[in-house]
Amino acid sequence: MINRRFLFVLVLLGVFINTFATIKEVFNFNFGKSGNVSFTAAPSQIKSQTGEDILSAQGAPLIYMDAPESHRMKGEGCIFFKTQQDWYENKEIAYPQNGNILFEVWARPRLVDHGDQHQSHVHVIAAIGSGEGGYTFAQVGKNLQVYSSKKGSVTLAPIVPEVWVHIAVKQENGKAVFFLNGEEKETLDATPIIMPGLYVGGSAKGNVFHGDLYQARVSTFQPGKFDGLSDFAIDYQAQKATYTQNKQHRRQIIKMFNSLSGNVVHTKELTERLQEKDWLIHDLKEPCQLVVEKSKDGETARIRIENGLIDRTFYYSDNLACVGYRNLSNGAEYLRGIKPEARIMIDSVWYEVGGLKGQPEYAYLLDSWYKDLYSSPRSFQFDKLEIGDIVKRYDWKPKFNSITTSWPAKGLHVSMIYKPTGQMPEVENITVKVNYEIYEGLPTVAKWVEVINNSDEAKVINKIESEILALSQDQFRRIYAQSDYSFAMVGGAHTEADIVDMWTNEHVPFSGSPVRLIDDTDYNTWAGVRNDEEILFGGKATRNLLVSSVPMGPNVDVTKTEPFQSFCTFELLMDSDDLERNTLGWRRVYRKLAPQTTESLLCGGITSNDPVKLKGFIDQMAEVGMERLDVMAWPGIQYDKLDAEYVNMWKDIASYAKERGIITGGYELMVASRGRGEKYDCIDPKTNKPGCNFGQSVCLASEWKDVFFPKFWEFKEKTGLDVYPIDGPYHGDACASKNHPHHKGLEDSQWKQWSIMRDFTREMQNKGMFVLMPDNYFWHGSTATGMGYREAASNLTLSQQMLLGHQYIYDGTRTKLPTMGWMTLQLVGFYSNDPKIGLEPLCDNLDKYEANLIQLLGSGCQLTIRGNRLYDTPETKKLLSAYIDWFKKYRDILTSDIIHVSRPTGRDLDCIMHVNPFIQHKGMVIVFNPTDRDITKEMRLPLYYSGLKDKATVVASDGTSSEYTLDQKGNLLFPVSIKAQGASWFLIEE
C-alpha cells in the first residue's frame, strides 16, 4: 500500500511546467480557470489551451475551488463531478497514429468506493479513444485501474481519497508505460490504434467518477526524447536539487559579475532613490550604468540597469530573472511577478530564456520568495553578461534643418547571454542573447533578442516573444511600448483594437499589434471587475501581461552564417495619467532615438514631367526660399527606369535644382496596390491566387527584390535625386507563394518582406536621403508620414479643408513631432478642376492663401505647396516670401513639440502652442478664429513645459511686448482678440 502521507507530500509539491520541451501538445484542457466560485455551474463548453478542440458538458458538473498545491496557491480551481449524470466529452477528437503519445490527468477521488454492489464496476476518470482502441484511467472499487484497449488492464495503486494524483500513460515502441505521480509503475502492450474521442469524468450514465479533475492533456514527443523531469505536467520541488546548477558554476557567474568594468558600479547594497527633476523640462545627464550588488553568499546576486530616471533589477540564482522595474520619478514598481526574459519556438518546440519558477502568487512579488525559486532544466540558462555602447541602427548626421544631437544616443548596451542545459540536446548549439539599451535623459528601455546557431544544421525560429512583463494593476496603463515591427497592418504600439479593412470593415488577417496586453493565466487571485465604472476608469485590469511578438512567424532559418535578430521593443515608463504629458514624453523619445524625424524642408509640389515647366517651378521655389521639389502624382518619377534619355532628364533637373539649394525627388507607388507582373504578385492565402488587402501588390520577397533595388540605386546615383517620397511601401500583406526565392511560404512571408523594407529604408538613410512614406518606419530611418489622411478631403471646399487641416494637425501631433507629419496646401484641385477647391488665380485669393500659410507653417509640419506655380503676381510672391522668411526665422520653435490648448471645432478659437525649454524661444502660440465673428477672450496657456517659472514675456506679431505672471502650475491667463476668419501668433520668451 502507498504511504498516504508520502503521496500527499509529493502531490502537494507538484507544479506545472509551462515549457513543453520535446513534447508537442495535441490538446490541453486545464479546468483550473473554469470559474472562481465553488459549487456554481461549470461551463457548458471548455476550450483547449492548445488548438481549437472543445469539450462539451453532459449533466451539470460544478466548479470547486481546489487544485494541486501550487495551482491552489495561485487561486485556481477544478471541476467537481458529483452525480451519475456528469462528465465532459468530445467524440470527434482525433489522435496521431503510429506515433509516440503521452496522455495524463490530474485527479482527486472523493470516495474510497461508490457503494457498488460489485466492486468491479468501472468509474471512468478520463479516457482517450474507445474500447476498440485507446487508454482509460478509472476507479474500480478501491483501486486505481488503467486500461490499454485490446491489450489488458493493471492496478496502479489503492485509492487515497481527497488527495490529488497525477496519472499518465506513455506510448512508445509498442509499449504503454503507466506512471503515478511521475513514477513509472506498470507496462502493458500498446493499444493497436487510438480511436477518436475524449471523455473526462465519465463516459456514460453509471460509469462516472465521483471526484475532481484539474487537467487532461495529450502530447506527442520525439522518439527517445521523453524526459519525465520536464515533459510531464508535473514537477517535484523535492527534486529541486536536480535542476539547481552546481555551486561552482554559480560562483563563476558571481566572479564574472565582480570583474565587470566600464559603466559599472560595484556596491555593498542596492539603494532606492527618487529623481527630483522633471526630465521633460530639464536636460538630465545622469550616467547610464550597471550596478552590481556584492553577493552575500557567493552564489546569488542582484544587478541593476539604471539611468537616474528608471531602473530594471535582476536576481541571479539558478538563472537570471527580472524582479524589478521602477519609475524613479514617482517610485512606482511596475512588476508583480517574474516571467521568462523571452520565449522562443525552435523547430516547433517552445523554450523559455532565463526567468525563475516557483512564485506562489502573481498578485505581488516578495523578496523573501527568491530563495525558493528555481529554474526549469529545459530553460536557457544565464551564462555571461557583456556591456558596450548603444547600437547604431543606421548612419545619420544632422542635416536638412534637423536638431543637433548625439547619434547614436548616449546610453548603455547590456547583453545577457544564455546557453542550453544538458537536458536540451536538440538545441545544444544554440546561444540566445537578450539585449537591453537604456538612454541618457529618457525613462526608456529598448529590448531585442538574438539567436546564434553554432552548428552546421539549420534551425527554424517559428515564433518568438521578446518581452514578457507581469505588470502591476496600477501601472499597466503607464507603460507605452512600441515595436519597430510597424507598418499599416501591424501597429507598433500596444492596443486592443483590430486592424480592419477600410472597405469591408472585416478583420485583416495577420495584422494587429506586436505589443499586446493580455490576461495572465498565472494570475488567478485578482478581484474581478464587476461594473462598467471600474472598466471605464480602471481599464481592463486583468489584461496586465505585456507580451511583444509578431502577428505571424517569423518562421525563419537560423544558421551558422545567418544569426537571427528579433524586432526591437521600446518601452517608456510614464509617471502620470495626463494625456499631454505622456504623449509629449513619447515625442521626446523620437527626438533622441529617431532624430531624422526632426528634419524639415519646405516643399514645392508639381504634377509634371515637362523640363520647361519643372525648371520654371524650380526658379519660383528658389526665389521664395523653398528647399525641396516633389514631382507629385501623377506622373511622379519611375526610379527603376534606366532609359538613357529618362535618366539624363532627371539628372539635369536634379542638378538644376541643387544649384539653387533645392533637393529633388518624386512620387512612386512602390509595393502596395501596384502589381508588377504575375511573376512578382503577392498570393492571397485565402484563394491561393494573386491578390491581397491593398489591391494587387508586389511580394517584396519575390524575384522583384533582385530586379527593382539594383535599378533604384543605379538610377539614384546617375540622377543625383536625394528624396524618395514613397507611396505604398510594404504594408504587411502575407504571401502564400512557395515559388518566390526570398521566402519559403506563408508563415515567413510577412517577416521577410518587412526585413527587406527595413533594410532598404536604413540604406536610404545611410546615403543621406530624405525619406517619406505613409507607414511608420521611423525606427529605421524614415522622416515623415501623413499628418492625417483622407483622400476625399482633398476635394472639399477651401473652408472645409482649412478646418479639417486644423484638426489633422491638432490630433496628429499628439504622438508625432510636427516634422513627422506632412500636409499639403492645394493651389489646384487634386482630382478635380473645380475652382472652389483650389486658389487659382492666386492673386484673387490672397486672404485664403495667407490663412493656409499661417496654419501650415505655424504648425511646423512638412509642408508641400502643390500647384503649377507658387505665385502669379509680385504681391503674391511678396506674401509667400514673407511667410517663408518668418518660418525660417522661428523654425527652431515652430518645429518643437506642440501643447494642445484648444481643439478646432469651427465654433470658437482654436489654439496650439509650441514649447521648448532648451532653446532661446521658449514658446510660440498660434491662435485661429474660424468663425464669422470677432472673438475676444482669455485663454489659459499651460507654460509649464516651456520651462518658464513665475513670469513670461509675450511678443505679439505686431512686435509689442508684455510681461505676465504665471500661476503656481505654470499657467498664463492670456487675453486675445482675433478677427473673424483671422489668426495671430505670439512668441514666448523669458
Side-chain angles (χ1 to χ4, degrees):
M1 178 177 288
I2 292 180
N3 183 295
R4 174 172 175 171
R5 182 177 179 184
F6 176 68
L7 175 62
F8 178 78
V9 170
L10 285 179
V11 179
L12 177 72
L13 296 173
V15 295
F16 176 63
I17 296 297
N18 215 12
T19 300
F20 299 135
T22 52
I23 68 172
K24 184 176 182 179
E25 290 184 343
V26 176
F27 59 73
N28 181 4
F29 290 100
N30 186 309
F31 309 120
K33 300 174 176 58
S34 301
N36 53 27
V37 179
S38 291
F39 300 112
T40 57
S44 61
Q45 291 188 326
I46 296 178
K47 184 178 180 295
S48 170
Q49 292 186 336
T50 301
E52 301 297 325
D53 291 318
I54 291 174
L55 281 177
S56 297
Q58 310 298 311
L62 300 174
I63 298 295
Y64 191 76
M65 294 312 296
D66 193 18
E69 176 69 8
S70 62
H71 299 283
R72 185 173 75 246
M73 295 300 291
K74 294 178 181 178
E76 294 186 57
C78 63
I79 300 289
F80 176 28
F81 299 90
K82 184 178 181 181
T83 76
Q84 299 296 304
Q85 313 288 329
D86 306 336
W87 71 91
Y88 279 90
E89 68 180 22
N90 182 329
K91 297 179 179 180
E92 307 300 325
I93 290 181
Y95 302 92
Q97 302 299 325
N98 302 319
N100 302 318
I101 292 288
L102 175 67
F103 171 41
E104 53 191 323
V105 299
W106 272 101
R108 183 177 65 167
R110 294 263 185 144
L111 300 176
V112 175
D113 64 66
H114 290 72
D116 298 325
Q117 292 181 346
H118 303 287
Q119 292 298 311
S120 61
H121 194 88
V122 177
H123 298 274
V124 174
I125 298 172
I128 59 173
S130 69
E132 297 301 314
Y135 295 100
T136 300
F137 305 147
Q139 181 177 349
V140 181
K142 298 181 180 181
N143 293 315
L144 178 60
Q145 194 93 353
V146 293
Y147 296 80
S148 175
S149 297
K150 299 291 186 179
K151 296 298 180 180
S153 64
V154 66
T155 297
L156 285 193
I159 291 293
V160 181
E162 306 295 336
V163 172
W164 284 99
V165 290
H166 177 268
I167 315 165
V169 58
K170 172 177 71 91
Q171 174 183 290
E172 184 177 21
N173 297 326
K175 294 296 181 181
V177 182
F178 294 91
F179 297 80
L180 184 66
N181 298 318
E183 181 181 348
E184 183 177 330
K185 288 292 185 181
E186 300 287 349
T187 300
L188 295 172
D189 289 336
T191 187
I193 187 172
I194 303 179
M195 301 296 290
L198 170 65
Y199 305 88
V200 175
S203 61
K205 291 182 181 179
N207 205 28
V208 300
F209 169 63
H210 187 85
D212 306 305
L213 281 166
Y214 171 75
Q215 183 180 21
R217 185 172 76 145
V218 166
S219 311
T220 61
F221 56 92
Q222 300 171 24
K225 298 292 187 179
F226 179 79
D227 186 343
L229 288 177
S230 57
D231 292 347
F232 279 134
I234 184 174
D235 185 17
Y236 296 110
Q237 186 82 307
Q239 295 181 358
K240 179 183 171 184
T242 305
Y243 306 149
T244 303
Q245 298 180 37
N246 61 63
K247 292 186 177 182
Q248 181 179 0
H249 180 72
R250 281 190 177 198
R251 287 169 178 165
Q252 288 174 348
I253 296 293
I254 300 302
K255 185 177 180 180
M256 180 270 297
F257 283 147
N258 293 337
S259 68
L260 292 171
S261 60
N263 293 341
V264 180
V265 174
H266 294 272
T267 183
K268 184 176 181 181
E269 187 113 27
L270 293 180
T271 58
E272 311 292 339
R273 69 184 185 92
L274 294 178
Q275 176 58 247
E276 297 179 355
K277 295 181 178 180
D278 186 347
W279 70 282
L280 289 172
I281 60 173
H282 293 94
D283 188 15
L284 299 180
K285 297 185 181 297
E286 295 196 29
C288 299
Q289 58 192 16
L290 177 74
V291 182
V292 178
E293 182 181 65
K294 184 178 181 181
S295 175
K296 296 177 174 58
D297 57 10
E299 297 178 16
T300 61
R302 289 193 301 169
I303 61 173
R304 175 177 289 169
I305 304 169
E306 65 177 25
N307 68 352
L309 284 168
I310 57 174
D311 62 38
R312 192 151 174 166
T313 303
F314 300 83
Y315 174 77
Y316 174 74
S317 57
D318 278 6
N319 213 334
L320 189 68
C322 182
V323 295
Y325 199 6
R326 292 194 312 141
N327 190 331
L328 303 184
S329 293
N330 58 5
E333 173 59 67
Y334 279 67
L335 295 189
R336 57 174 171 77
I338 296 172
K339 295 292 181 178
E341 280 297 286
R343 294 177 72 236
I344 307 173
M345 183 185 283
I346 304 175
D347 289 345
S348 300
V349 177
W350 276 109
Y351 298 91
E352 293 182 351
V353 180
L356 290 167
K357 294 185 173 297
Q359 181 175 335
E361 164 65 67
Y362 267 86
Y364 49 86
L365 175 62
L366 302 180
D367 293 359
S368 59
W369 291 343
Y370 293 172
K371 67 182 184 304
D372 297 319
L373 302 178
Y374 59 95
S375 177
S376 164
R378 294 188 57 83
S379 292
F380 282 86
Q381 305 292 309
F382 177 71
D383 185 64
K384 63 180 178 179
L385 183 146
E386 298 172 346
I387 61 174
D389 296 327
I390 299 298
V391 174
K392 184 190 293 187
R393 297 189 299 279
Y394 45 83
D395 291 331
W396 179 81
K397 294 180 181 178
K399 64 182 187 302
F400 301 143
N401 306 299
S402 71
I403 62 172
T404 300
T405 188
S406 300
W407 182 252
K410 295 179 181 178
L412 179 68
H413 179 157
V414 177
S415 293
M416 300 171 180
I417 298 166
Y418 295 81
K419 297 288 183 69
T421 68
Q423 295 189 44
M424 303 163 67
E426 66 281 4
V427 289
E428 61 183 354
N429 294 306
I430 296 292
T431 299
V432 178
K433 184 184 292 187
V434 178
N435 298 279
Y436 284 95
E437 286 186 346
I438 191 168
Y439 307 98
E440 181 183 271
L442 295 176
T444 302
V445 162
K447 183 180 179 184
W448 70 95
V449 174
E450 296 173 63
V451 181
I452 300 157
N453 185 354
N454 299 304
S455 75
D456 295 325
E457 180 185 358
K459 294 289 184 179
V460 178
I461 308 298
N462 306 102
K463 299 179 183 296
I464 182 169
E465 295 173 354
S466 62
E467 178 68 300
I468 310 164
L469 295 174
L471 297 171
S472 300
Q473 284 182 262
D474 64 334
Q475 300 300 322
F476 75 98
R477 295 199 298 179
R478 288 188 173 183
I479 182 171
Y480 182 79
Q482 187 179 102
S483 168
D484 67 349
Y485 191 80
S486 175
F487 34 90
M489 286 170 55
V490 179
H494 61 74
T495 176
E496 296 177 7
D498 282 339
I499 306 295
V500 296
D501 186 287
M502 66 179 70
W503 292 285
T504 66
N505 204 37
E506 295 178 353
H507 174 74
V508 175
F510 317 119
S511 68
S513 172
V515 186
R516 295 164 292 130
L517 287 172
I518 62 176
D519 291 347
D520 185 353
T521 56
D522 290 329
Y523 182 18
N524 303 293
T525 55
W526 51 269
V529 175
R530 299 184 183 280
N531 56 58
D532 292 341
E533 288 82 358
E534 290 183 34
I535 296 175
L536 177 64
F537 292 107
K540 294 183 178 178
T542 62
R543 294 188 178 177
N544 50 30
L545 182 69
L546 186 148
V547 178
S548 187
S549 63
V550 295
M552 66 180 302
N555 208 54
V556 294
D557 291 346
V558 56
T559 67
K560 183 179 286 188
T561 57
E562 292 186 39
F564 171 79
Q565 180 172 312
S566 77
F567 48 90
C568 182
T569 305
F570 298 88
E571 302 165 10
L572 170 69
L573 300 194
M574 303 176 291
D575 57 12
S576 168
D577 295 322
D578 179 71
L579 177 63
E580 191 74 77
R581 179 173 179 83
N582 291 342
T583 58
L584 177 61
W586 189 245
R587 287 173 265 159
R588 294 288 173 82
V589 171
Y590 274 131
R591 285 186 179 275
K592 282 199 173 184
L593 303 189
Q596 81 284 348
T597 59
T598 67
E599 294 173 358
S600 167
L601 292 171
L602 294 173
C603 178
I606 184 172
T607 55
S608 176
N609 275 188
D610 184 334
V612 175
K613 291 182 178 179
L614 288 168
K615 289 182 177 180
F617 194 74
I618 291 168
D619 289 339
Q620 283 203 339
M621 291 177 61
E623 284 291 319
V624 296
M626 300 189 79
E627 301 154 326
R628 176 171 72 89
L629 171 66
D630 187 357
V631 183
M632 303 184 76
W634 300 92
I637 298 177
Q638 292 178 253
Y639 282 75
D640 58 346
K641 184 176 180 179
L642 295 176
D643 175 81
E645 183 179 353
Y646 191 75
V647 169
N648 289 333
M649 185 197 79
W650 287 114
K651 179 180 180 181
D652 178 54
I653 293 299
S655 177
Y656 187 86
K658 192 166 293 185
E659 290 169 359
R660 289 154 181 77
I662 297 168
I663 65 171
T664 302
Y667 173 95
E668 182 167 45
L669 186 58
M670 181 184 173
V671 175
S673 305
R674 180 172 181 178
R676 300 272 187 158
E678 186 175 344
K679 186 177 181 180
Y680 311 129
D681 283 343
C682 220
I683 302 300
D684 189 337
K686 292 181 180 178
T687 64
N688 211 35
K689 296 179 180 180
C692 52
N693 289 295
F694 292 90
Q696 184 54 61
S697 295
V698 175
C699 174
L700 260 182
S702 70
E703 194 176 338
W704 187 76
K705 170 183 182 286
D706 307 313
V707 173
F708 175 78
F709 292 113
K711 289 182 178 180
F712 174 91
W713 292 119
E714 184 178 349
F715 186 82
K716 182 253 185 294
E717 293 304 317
K718 286 182 175 179
T719 59
L721 297 178
D722 290 320
V723 187
Y724 192 30
I726 306 170
D727 192 9
Y730 178 61
H731 281 343
D733 282 312
C735 177
S737 171
K738 295 182 179 180
N739 300 317
H740 292 163
H742 301 292
H743 73 100
K744 294 181 292 186
L746 176 64
E747 289 299 323
D748 69 331
S749 64
Q750 191 179 78
W751 177 269
K752 285 296 186 70
Q753 291 184 82
W754 169 77
S755 299
I756 292 166
M757 191 71 214
R758 173 200 65 196
D759 294 346
F760 176 54
T761 307
R762 289 178 176 179
E763 186 60 20
M764 286 191 286
Q765 193 55 248
N766 292 345
K767 293 183 181 296
M769 297 181 71
F770 191 76
V771 184
L772 305 104
M773 62 181 76
D775 290 37
N776 293 1
Y777 284 88
F778 299 124
W779 298 114
H780 308 297
S782 70
T783 298
T785 186
M787 184 67 79
Y789 179 72
R790 195 71 176 180
E791 202 161 284
S794 301
N795 290 322
L796 299 177
T797 64
L798 285 172
S799 60
Q800 289 175 304
Q801 288 188 46
M802 280 284 293
L803 185 56
L804 282 171
H806 287 204
Q807 291 183 338
Y808 289 170
I809 291 166
Y810 193 92
D811 297 337
T813 54
R814 281 289 188 190
T815 55
K816 292 194 286 282
L817 309 176
T819 47
M820 290 170 70
W822 67 64
M823 295 287 289
T824 303
L825 198 171
Q826 302 279 2
L827 301 183
V828 295
F830 193 67
Y831 288 124
S832 170
N833 293 320
D834 188 336
K836 290 182 293 185
I837 296 174
L839 292 176
E840 288 285 3
L842 304 177
C843 59
D844 292 344
N845 293 286
L846 291 182
D847 57 339
K848 295 174 182 176
Y849 203 172
E850 181 176 14
N852 274 277
L853 288 170
I854 183 65
Q855 171 193 353
L856 297 170
L857 291 172
S859 74
C861 71
Q862 299 284 357
L863 169 61
T864 296
I865 303 178
R866 177 184 174 276
N868 300 313
R869 56 186 177 179
L870 300 172
Y871 55 84
D872 53 2
T873 66
E875 290 77 17
T876 311
K877 177 182 178 182
K878 181 179 179 181
L879 172 72
L880 180 57
S881 296
Y883 271 99
I884 288 176
D885 290 345
W886 170 78
F887 173 79
K888 289 183 175 180
K889 179 179 180 180
Y890 296 114
R891 185 177 230 148
D892 60 347
I893 186 61
L894 287 170
T895 55
S896 293
D897 297 307
I898 287 177
I899 300 299
H900 301 79
V901 180
S902 178
R903 191 176 189 274
T905 64
R907 296 184 287 181
D908 201 350
L909 300 183
D910 58 86
C911 176
I912 59 174
M913 179 174 66
H914 299 272
V915 295
N916 195 329
F918 310 118
I919 62 176
Q920 177 186 351
H921 302 306
K922 303 299 180 183
M924 175 72 83
V925 182
I926 315 289
V927 186
F928 302 94
N929 182 358
T931 73
D932 56 3
R933 70 185 190 280
D934 297 349
I935 297 179
T936 297
K937 66 184 295 185
E938 197 171 56
M939 302 193 77
R940 187 184 300 274
L941 302 179
L943 292 181
Y944 174 81
Y945 295 110
S946 72
L948 296 176
K949 294 182 178 179
D950 302 326
K951 61 181 181 178
T953 299
V954 179
V955 182
S957 54
D958 62 6
T960 58
S961 176
S962 303
E963 187 174 290
Y964 294 87
T965 300
L966 309 183
D967 67 18
Q968 292 182 343
K969 295 183 178 180
N971 294 316
L972 164 62
L973 292 177
F974 183 57
V976 293
S977 294
I978 310 293
K979 292 191 174 296
Q981 301 294 315
S984 192
W985 58 270
F986 305 90
L987 187 66
I988 309 293
E989 297 181 331
E990 288 190 84

